[in-house]
Amino acid sequence: MGDQSGRQQLSDALANLLARSRTTKSQVASRGNLSRTTVSAAFSPDGPLPSDRTLEMIAEALHADPAPLRNLLAIARNEEAEQPRPVEEAKARPLSPAYRLTPPPADPRLREYSFDPLRPENLVRSVAERFRTLMVSDLAEAASWAHDAGIYAIYYIGAHSLYTPISGSVIPLYVGGVHEGPRARHGAYLKRPMVSQRLDEHCRTLAQSRDLDPTDFVVRTLFIDDLFITPAVDLLTAEFKPLWNTTLDGFSLRNPGRGRTQHGRRPKWHELHAGPDSWAAEMRSDRSPRELEDEVRQHFAAWLR
């Protein structure tokens, strides 16, 4: 018995007690109020180890001392605990097809009708939708109160023949944004960036033009976090193709300094609109106003068709 496992010794001991008592396993099950499956498993050397209560009931049914059986059960349990469990046995058994969850077939409408409001692109769209609902203000008036960072769009409401196609419409001539930047940079000698500052610069640029009046412009402004400014401006620019952001660029440029104005090329916007008092008046001219006017008309014809 020295080479036998504790489980085998327990099975042999139960078999010997059963033979001595001249009792069948069915009788043991009946006397111990146990199922025949439980009794058969307890007697089998390959079956699971019986519980303490099951072993007690079997010993009582066989009129045997349970102490030796308990010792053998303890030995078998210790051996079982020390024996590594095969990897194959540790794997979960596959579910029966009757209990397996089957995903529904892919439906193209799942993507179409799905919406995550926290996705970055959807957050930017919500900013743009909010922006479109705002009232417009006179450009010069907004320059006096828009003291915060955010986005803005400038619209034309005048009678200039070149801009008649969009005058009074929801299509902006220019879309811009002002970032606040890190608050740590703002000190006693450094002003905090604000939309009002840019609008005031735009007013001065328009006032120095030869054929535009600042009073013919209105602006829509929305103050938002820096995180959304650039994506929102990009979205509005892609949607409306503002003329002064695309075809006729240069409206938002600042004076680069006398050295550059004397040798640099005049931006398109200043080529077409700058007056004699503009900082761009001394710059080199490469395009005629007539050529630029044709480009503006082509832009509106392509965009508004």
Side-chain angles (χ1 to χ4, degrees), residues 67-184:
L69 297 177
R70 284 198 295 265
N71 293 335
L72 293 175
L73 179 60
I75 295 173
R77 285 176 175 171
N78 289 336
E79 293 176 348
E80 187 178 73
E82 294 174 357
Q83 185 177 2
R85 186 179 181 185
V87 176
E88 291 76 16
E89 294 181 7
K91 293 182 179 178
R93 295 180 181 178
L95 288 173
S96 168
Y99 296 98
R100 189 176 298 123
L101 294 176
T102 304
D107 191 321
R109 291 173 296 183
L110 293 177
R111 179 179 296 274
E112 180 181 355
Y113 292 102
S114 297
F115 180 73
D116 181 0
L118 297 181
R119 289 183 65 86
E121 60 270 25
N122 292 331
L123 289 172
V124 174
R125 289 193 188 99
S126 67
V127 170
E129 291 173 2
R130 171 59 178 152
F131 181 76
R132 297 187 192 98
T133 65
L134 300 174
M135 299 292 291
V136 296
S137 304
D138 292 337
L139 183 61
E141 179 188 357
S144 67
W145 58 260
H147 302 318
D148 208 342
I151 60 175
Y152 62 93
I154 297 176
Y155 305 84
Y156 185 66
I157 57 173
H160 194 297
S161 60
L162 195 60
Y163 298 117
T164 299
I166 61 167
S167 180
S169 73
V170 296
I171 300 175
L173 272 176
Y174 181 77
V175 174
V178 177
H179 292 78
E180 180 180 12
R183 292 182 178 271

Side-chain angles (χ1 to χ4, degrees), residues 22-38:
R22 298 181 181 181
T23 307
T24 64
K25 294 179 183 177
S26 297
Q27 291 174 327
V28 171
S30 177
R31 294 174 185 174
N33 196 23
L34 301 169
S35 68
R36 284 182 288 183
T37 302
T38 300

Side-chain angles (χ1 to χ4, degrees), residues 239-253:
E239 180 178 355
F240 293 109
K241 304 293 189 299
L243 177 71
W244 293 355
N245 288 85
T246 55
T247 302
L248 200 66
D249 58 347
F251 169 68
S252 63
L253 295 178

Side-chain angles (χ1 to χ4, degrees), residues 38-57:
T38 300
V39 173
S40 296
F43 277 81
S44 173
D46 299 323
L49 291 174
S51 65
D52 292 336
R53 180 181 179 280
T54 298
L55 195 63
E56 294 284 348
M57 299 302 293

Side-chain angles (χ1 to χ4, degrees), residues 166 171-172 237-242 298-305:
I166 61 167
I171 300 175
T237 301
E239 180 178 355
F240 293 109
K241 304 293 189 299
Q298 293 172 9
H299 174 95
F300 288 144
W303 173 238
L304 301 177
R305 64 183 177 182

